[in-house]
Amino acid sequence: MRDLGTPVLDDHLHLDRAGKGIEAVKDFVRSGGTHLLVCNKPSWHLDVEPETGADFRPVFETTRSLVAEASEVLPGRAWPVLGVHPALISRLIDDRGLAVSEARDLMMAGIDVAGELAASGDAVAIKSGRPHYDVEPAVWDASNAVLKHALEVAADADVAVQLHTEETEDLTAVADWATDRGLEPKRVVKHYSSGRLTGVTPSVMSQQSYLEKAVAAGEPFLMETDYVDDPDRPGMVMGPKTVPRRVNWLLEQGHEEAVERAHVETPRSVYGIDTRATLDRD
């Protein structure tokens, strides 16, 4: 196991027993990784076609089980991020023929189940968002309604939110929605960020050019791979070794303060997790 002298957190990746599963975690550890936030895969990737909110529970429990196994391997630990992928709305409407309002309500019901688990300490964040592709205005409005509901559920559970959204560097409107619902905007994270973001906290894809922008901004940020753990798409989006390798590169560039910000200070501020206290160096 490589020791980079700092906690190393991948803020957003997926694990799947049909993929590399815990072997991906071992790759992460061998490269110097210590902590993970594991987001549940989209429900349809696990062959779950929900009809009620309760139907999402097996998806969440699968992730919680993998998190427990990952924590046995990591020198730190893993935490779950649970929720409903925003692209589900298109599957429900286009493939299953649900009305927009029915799709919206079903996704909200899934968010409610994730919120129950989070309120019990079984997740540190709710997953939600809106489509990153063009949709009809009614679908866009329904997706924003689901997103706003997730912000409210997260506020009630006192956890963060991870958002999958369109490509943008400005989510001040979402920050305002969070504030209106009692959730601090810093506890709203845009996953798959390109390095600069106004309004909420960026979770930066670990490309050097994006990280350079995040470091230069001098603002709180996180680092991620969005590793999907799909046997048909190995290494997609980025492999599990990427965050540790990029941390090592940042340290070589003299960016110790940025590494501390991304892997200690921002995780504590956003999720209430302590990556130092949970790191076993023995």
Side-chain angles (χ1 to χ4, degrees), residues 39-255:
C39 191
N40 63 261
K41 298 192 82 170
S43 50
W44 61 92
H45 286 196
L46 300 180
D47 297 323
V48 173
E49 298 293 347
E51 297 183 0
T52 68
D55 293 340
F56 288 93
R57 193 173 292 275
V59 178
F60 303 154
E61 294 300 337
T62 295
T63 299
R64 290 183 59 221
S65 175
L66 282 162
V67 163
E69 293 177 35
S71 292
E72 293 296 317
V73 173
L74 291 162
R77 60 161 294 181
W79 294 272
V81 176
L82 305 177
V84 179
H85 195 287
L88 178 62
I89 197 166
S90 297
R91 293 181 62 87
L92 295 175
I93 295 167
D94 298 340
D95 298 346
R96 289 176 49 185
L98 270 66
V100 173
S101 60
E102 293 174 324
R104 177 201 65 207
D105 292 350
L106 177 55
M107 292 173 71
M108 286 183 176
I111 294 290
D112 287 339
V113 175
E116 292 171 9
L117 290 167
S120 299
D122 293 323
V124 296
I126 302 294
K127 170 183 177 176
S128 187
R130 59 193 181 195
H132 63 278
Y133 47 88
D134 291 338
V135 294
E136 295 295 326
V139 175
W140 182 254
D141 291 344
S143 297
N144 277 324
V146 174
L147 191 163
K148 291 174 183 177
H149 183 66
L151 296 172
E152 185 172 349
V153 169
D156 290 343
D158 192 23
V159 296
V161 174
Q162 279 197 9
L163 295 181
H164 179 113
T165 75
E166 73 282 4
E167 183 177 350
T168 181
E169 293 186 354
D170 187 352
L171 285 177
T172 52
V174 173
D176 291 341
W177 297 345
T179 299
D180 290 345
R181 287 158 180 80
L183 185 66
E184 291 182 272
K186 70 178 182 180
R187 303 194 74 192
V188 180
V189 176
K190 175 175 166 45
H191 131 74
Y192 215 104
S193 171
S194 60
R196 291 188 183 273
L197 186 63
T198 302
V200 304
T201 300
S203 184
V204 180
M205 288 296 291
S206 294
Q207 297 180 15
Q208 289 185 3
S209 60
Y210 291 168
L211 292 171
E212 286 171 345
K213 289 195 291 184
V215 170
E219 300 292 334
F221 74 101
L222 299 151
M223 291 173 59
E224 68 166 81
T225 56
D226 192 25
Y227 175 64
V228 300
D229 202 7
D230 184 338
D232 295 327
R233 297 180 294 168
M236 203 56 193
V237 174
M238 291 179 164
K241 301 177 183 178
T242 308
V243 166
R245 287 174 172 174
R246 293 294 182 264
V247 167
N248 186 56
W249 171 75
L250 286 169
L251 293 171
E252 289 176 345
Q253 300 298 310
H255 295 308

